[in-house]
mmCIF file of all heavy atoms in Angstrom:
data_model
loop_
_atom_site.group_PDB
_atom_site.id
_atom_site.type_symbol
_atom_site.label_atom_id
_atom_site.label_comp_id
_atom_site.label_asym_id
_atom_site.label_seq_id
_atom_site.Cartn_x
_atom_site.Cartn_y
_atom_site.Cartn_z
ATOM 1 N N ALA A 453 -11.600 8.364 2.196
ATOM 2 C CA ALA A 453 -11.059 7.896 0.915
ATOM 3 C C ALA A 453 -10.159 6.684 1.080
ATOM 4 O O ALA A 453 -10.212 5.730 0.295
ATOM 5 C CB ALA A 453 -10.298 9.027 0.227
ATOM 6 N N LEU A 454 -9.310 6.699 2.121
ATOM 7 C CA LEU A 454 -8.388 5.582 2.321
ATOM 8 C C LEU A 454 -9.118 4.286 2.667
ATOM 9 O O LEU A 454 -8.864 3.244 2.041
ATOM 10 C CB LEU A 454 -7.368 5.932 3.409
ATOM 11 C CG LEU A 454 -6.217 4.947 3.601
ATOM 12 C CD1 LEU A 454 -5.411 4.807 2.320
ATOM 13 C CD2 LEU A 454 -5.301 5.396 4.737
ATOM 14 N N PRO A 455 -10.054 4.282 3.641
ATOM 15 C CA PRO A 455 -10.816 3.055 3.900
ATOM 16 C C PRO A 455 -11.582 2.574 2.667
ATOM 17 O O PRO A 455 -11.658 1.367 2.410
ATOM 18 C CB PRO A 455 -11.779 3.465 5.021
ATOM 19 C CG PRO A 455 -11.098 4.591 5.708
ATOM 20 C CD PRO A 455 -10.379 5.329 4.629
ATOM 21 N N ALA A 456 -12.146 3.508 1.896
ATOM 22 C CA ALA A 456 -12.902 3.126 0.702
ATOM 23 C C ALA A 456 -12.011 2.427 -0.317
ATOM 24 O O ALA A 456 -12.402 1.435 -0.939
ATOM 25 C CB ALA A 456 -13.550 4.361 0.079
ATOM 26 N N MET A 457 -10.783 2.928 -0.472
ATOM 27 C CA MET A 457 -9.856 2.315 -1.407
ATOM 28 C C MET A 457 -9.481 0.907 -0.969
ATOM 29 O O MET A 457 -9.418 -0.028 -1.772
ATOM 30 C CB MET A 457 -8.612 3.188 -1.546
ATOM 31 C CG MET A 457 -7.570 2.649 -2.522
ATOM 32 S SD MET A 457 -6.274 3.858 -2.891
ATOM 33 C CE MET A 457 -5.674 4.226 -1.260
ATOM 34 N N PHE A 458 -9.244 0.729 0.341
ATOM 35 C CA PHE A 458 -8.896 -0.598 0.846
ATOM 36 C C PHE A 458 -10.063 -1.570 0.689
ATOM 37 O O PHE A 458 -9.864 -2.759 0.402
ATOM 38 C CB PHE A 458 -8.483 -0.515 2.316
ATOM 39 C CG PHE A 458 -7.042 -0.179 2.501
ATOM 40 C CD1 PHE A 458 -6.672 0.945 3.216
ATOM 41 C CD2 PHE A 458 -6.053 -0.961 1.955
ATOM 42 C CE1 PHE A 458 -5.341 1.271 3.390
ATOM 43 C CE2 PHE A 458 -4.717 -0.654 2.122
ATOM 44 C CZ PHE A 458 -4.357 0.472 2.836
ATOM 45 N N ILE A 459 -11.275 -1.094 0.884
ATOM 46 C CA ILE A 459 -12.452 -1.955 0.701
ATOM 47 C C ILE A 459 -12.524 -2.432 -0.740
ATOM 48 O O ILE A 459 -12.803 -3.604 -1.018
ATOM 49 C CB ILE A 459 -13.733 -1.195 1.096
ATOM 50 C CG1 ILE A 459 -13.770 -0.968 2.615
ATOM 51 C CG2 ILE A 459 -14.981 -1.982 0.659
ATOM 52 C CD1 ILE A 459 -14.891 -0.063 3.068
ATOM 53 N N GLY A 460 -12.268 -1.518 -1.681
ATOM 54 C CA GLY A 460 -12.274 -1.904 -3.096
ATOM 55 C C GLY A 460 -11.221 -2.949 -3.412
ATOM 56 O O GLY A 460 -11.488 -3.933 -4.116
ATOM 57 N N LEU A 461 -10.008 -2.759 -2.901
ATOM 58 C CA LEU A 461 -8.937 -3.741 -3.122
ATOM 59 C C LEU A 461 -9.291 -5.088 -2.499
ATOM 60 O O LEU A 461 -9.017 -6.149 -3.076
ATOM 61 C CB LEU A 461 -7.619 -3.223 -2.545
ATOM 62 C CG LEU A 461 -6.981 -2.027 -3.251
ATOM 63 C CD1 LEU A 461 -5.785 -1.525 -2.452
ATOM 64 C CD2 LEU A 461 -6.563 -2.392 -4.661
ATOM 65 N N LEU A 462 -9.911 -5.059 -1.316
ATOM 66 C CA LEU A 462 -10.291 -6.294 -0.638
ATOM 67 C C LEU A 462 -11.320 -7.069 -1.443
ATOM 68 O O LEU A 462 -11.198 -8.290 -1.620
ATOM 69 C CB LEU A 462 -10.850 -5.970 0.754
ATOM 70 C CG LEU A 462 -11.414 -7.148 1.552
ATOM 71 C CD1 LEU A 462 -10.322 -8.186 1.814
ATOM 72 C CD2 LEU A 462 -12.024 -6.672 2.856
ATOM 73 N N VAL A 463 -12.315 -6.357 -1.960
ATOM 74 C CA VAL A 463 -13.361 -7.019 -2.747
ATOM 75 C C VAL A 463 -12.771 -7.658 -3.993
ATOM 76 O O VAL A 463 -13.092 -8.808 -4.343
ATOM 77 C CB VAL A 463 -14.469 -6.011 -3.124
ATOM 78 C CG1 VAL A 463 -15.434 -6.618 -4.135
ATOM 79 C CG2 VAL A 463 -15.221 -5.564 -1.880
ATOM 80 N N LEU A 464 -11.898 -6.937 -4.691
ATOM 81 C CA LEU A 464 -11.273 -7.478 -5.900
ATOM 82 C C LEU A 464 -10.430 -8.712 -5.595
ATOM 83 O O LEU A 464 -10.413 -9.683 -6.365
ATOM 84 C CB LEU A 464 -10.413 -6.407 -6.565
ATOM 85 C CG LEU A 464 -11.164 -5.224 -7.184
ATOM 86 C CD1 LEU A 464 -10.185 -4.163 -7.680
ATOM 87 C CD2 LEU A 464 -12.059 -5.690 -8.323
ATOM 88 N N THR A 465 -9.724 -8.682 -4.469
ATOM 89 C CA THR A 465 -8.898 -9.829 -4.076
ATOM 90 C C THR A 465 -9.761 -11.035 -3.745
ATOM 91 O O THR A 465 -9.460 -12.171 -4.136
ATOM 92 C CB THR A 465 -8.023 -9.465 -2.859
ATOM 93 O OG1 THR A 465 -7.208 -8.341 -3.189
ATOM 94 C CG2 THR A 465 -7.130 -10.634 -2.484
ATOM 95 N N LEU A 466 -10.865 -10.820 -3.019
ATOM 96 C CA LEU A 466 -11.783 -11.921 -2.673
ATOM 97 C C LEU A 466 -12.359 -12.559 -3.926
ATOM 98 O O LEU A 466 -12.465 -13.782 -4.024
ATOM 99 C CB LEU A 466 -12.904 -11.395 -1.778
ATOM 100 C CG LEU A 466 -12.532 -10.972 -0.357
ATOM 101 C CD1 LEU A 466 -13.745 -10.381 0.351
ATOM 102 C CD2 LEU A 466 -11.973 -12.143 0.428
ATOM 103 N N ILE A 467 -12.730 -11.733 -4.885
ATOM 104 C CA ILE A 467 -13.314 -12.252 -6.135
ATOM 105 C C ILE A 467 -12.283 -13.072 -6.907
ATOM 106 O O ILE A 467 -12.596 -14.139 -7.462
ATOM 107 C CB ILE A 467 -13.834 -11.085 -6.993
ATOM 108 C CG1 ILE A 467 -15.030 -10.424 -6.309
ATOM 109 C CG2 ILE A 467 -14.236 -11.578 -8.387
ATOM 110 C CD1 ILE A 467 -15.522 -9.175 -7.008
ATOM 111 N N SER A 468 -11.041 -12.581 -6.974
ATOM 112 C CA SER A 468 -10.010 -13.284 -7.743
ATOM 113 C C SER A 468 -9.631 -14.614 -7.106
ATOM 114 O O SER A 468 -9.278 -15.567 -7.806
ATOM 115 C CB SER A 468 -8.764 -12.399 -7.885
ATOM 116 O OG SER A 468 -8.177 -12.148 -6.627
#
Side-chain angles (χ1 to χ4, degrees):
L454 188 60
M457 181 169 56
F458 275 121
I459 291 172
L461 291 173
L462 175 61
V463 170
L464 292 174
T465 302
L466 291 176
I467 292 174
S468 64

